[in-house]
Amino acid sequence: MNWAMDELQSRATTQLGRLHDFSDELARIRVRESSADDLITVEVDGSGAMTGLWLADGAGELGGARLGSAIVATAMLAAQRAFARRAAMTEDFTASFAELVQSRPDGSR
């Protein structure tokens, strides 16, 4: 290969590596939120899907309807935090990836 093709392949490999890393970072997002009374703890992933639920002793005393509502409310708070984290990470990635794409092989813009 000639220099231009080698450079193109190197840049593409770097960009694909960064995309892969970002995907891995998003997949590792986990957020835990506890209810105000600490009876319920919920964990969600970066897409807001529940990945864990812990109930403290006494949570059952809330009754079915109140317990269900408290679980949903706690899960919603965790999901909001996960979405905020995902948005911040995406914003950072977008800025850094744009710089990577726009940079020239000689380091200039």
Side-chain angles (χ1 to χ4, degrees):
M1 279 195 218
N2 64 31
W3 178 86
M5 287 303 293
D6 289 346
E7 180 61 28
L8 179 61
Q9 182 179 6
S10 174
R11 289 171 54 87
T13 299
T14 299
Q15 292 168 1
L16 286 172
R18 183 61 187 110
L19 283 169
H20 180 72
D21 292 347
F22 179 60
S23 177
D24 288 346
E25 291 169 17
L26 290 177
R28 285 192 298 270
I29 294 174
R30 295 289 183 274
V31 173
R32 282 191 185 182
E33 184 71 38
S34 293
S35 59
D37 57 12
D38 287 327
L39 292 175
I40 299 158
T41 300
V42 174
E43 181 182 80
V44 300
D45 65 14
S47 66
M50 188 183 300
T51 58
L53 173 64
W54 297 268
L55 302 176
D57 292 338
E61 294 173 18
L62 294 174
R66 284 185 52 215
L67 179 59
S69 293
I71 290 171
V72 170
T74 305
M76 286 176 47
L77 289 173
Q80 288 172 349
R81 287 184 45 217
F83 295 151
R85 184 175 298 168
R86 184 181 183 103
M89 290 170 66
T90 300
E91 187 175 317
D92 290 345
F93 168 78
T94 301
S96 68
F97 195 75
E99 290 176 13
L100 179 64
V101 169
Q102 293 171 358
S103 66
R104 294 188 178 147
D106 62 5
S108 66
R109 290 217 165 243

